[in-house]
Amino acid sequence: MERLNIAIFVSGSGTNCENLIRYFAHSQSVCCALVVSNKADAPALQKARRLGVPTAVAPRPQLNDPEVMLPLLRRYGVGFIVLAGFLPLVPDFLIDAFPHRIVNLHPALLPKFGGKGMWGHHVHEAVKAAGETETGMTVHWVTPVCDGGEIIAQFRCPVSPDDTADDIAAKEHQLEMEHFPKVIEQIIGEL
């Protein structure tokens, strides 16, 4: 079986990106072929380079330019895109070029706490403020609607009244580390 080249799109520290690269390092079915960030100073880029994965920077003008992005992804033979803490909206031309081949990780149980402005710590603070008794992570297909794509998988963890937003973030992040690579592996196995 030929390995499927994936691109991981990131904006920040890259803990999920690093986890995915390590998870698929010896995979027979998946190759982390490229890491793309909208921020040149994203720590995720250094982590990827240290692990031997090529990187590219695509600030908003380049991200939104099909003449830049499509050749870049073709150059690395990318057949699937994983958003792992990627903040900009994915342009429609990429969604059209990769139908049902772009997934996103969201740090809450969608449809709650999704949409514009709901990322990272903002999500965990909203979960705390709402007095939720559980939270979790959602993996979903990417569509033109922010956090609006069909849900692929969700994993839950309890939230206690004493939990701070940081506590909630730590619990949810553990779910990401454990489950995100396995969900991607399962999705790709079903393509």
Side-chain angles (χ1 to χ4, degrees):
M1 177 171 139
E2 189 175 321
R3 296 200 320 168
L4 179 67
N5 285 350
I6 69 170
I8 304 169
F9 283 35
V10 296
S11 292
S13 66
T15 54
N16 274 297
C17 177
E18 181 177 12
N19 192 33
L20 290 169
I21 293 168
R22 290 185 186 284
Y23 185 86
F24 291 117
H26 303 290
S27 171
Q28 298 301 306
S29 57
V30 179
C31 172
C32 296
L34 179 66
V35 172
V36 177
S37 181
N38 60 308
K39 297 180 176 182
D41 62 349
L45 294 173
Q46 288 130 5
K47 290 177 181 175
R49 286 184 205 115
R50 273 198 308 272
L51 293 168
V53 177
T55 63
V57 177
R60 196 171 305 275
Q62 286 87 347
L63 175 67
N64 291 318
D65 186 346
E67 301 300 317
V68 172
M69 293 306 296
L70 294 176
L72 171 67
L73 296 171
R74 273 195 300 270
R75 186 175 327 128
Y76 289 93
V78 171
F80 196 88
I81 298 173
V82 176
L83 308 184
F86 188 66
L87 299 182
L89 283 176
V90 175
D92 289 352
F93 74 84
L94 273 181
I95 295 169
D96 293 342
F98 292 87
H100 246 75
R101 287 188 171 245
I102 306 176
V103 296
N104 183 43
L105 167 66
H106 186 75
L109 297 171
L110 292 175
K112 289 183 175 183
F113 310 108
K116 189 168 174 59
M118 281 288 127
W119 55 272
H121 218 264
H122 303 288
V123 173
H124 306 304
E125 288 169 353
V127 167
K128 173 69 177 169
E132 295 289 316
T133 58
E134 69 175 1
T135 191
M137 62 170 272
T138 301
V139 180
H140 66 91
W141 294 110
V142 173
T143 66
V145 177
C146 182
D147 296 328
E150 177 189 348
I151 292 171
I152 299 165
Q154 290 186 315
F155 299 92
R156 300 167 187 273
C157 60
V159 174
S160 78
D162 297 334
D163 283 342
T164 65
D166 287 341
D167 295 333
I168 295 168
K171 288 180 180 183
E172 188 276 330
H173 192 67
Q174 281 184 307
L175 294 176
E176 294 176 4
M177 293 294 103
E178 180 180 349
H179 297 290
F180 195 34
K182 294 174 189 171
V183 171
I184 292 168
E185 186 173 49
Q186 181 179 349
I187 293 165
I188 290 173
E190 294 171 358
L191 291 178

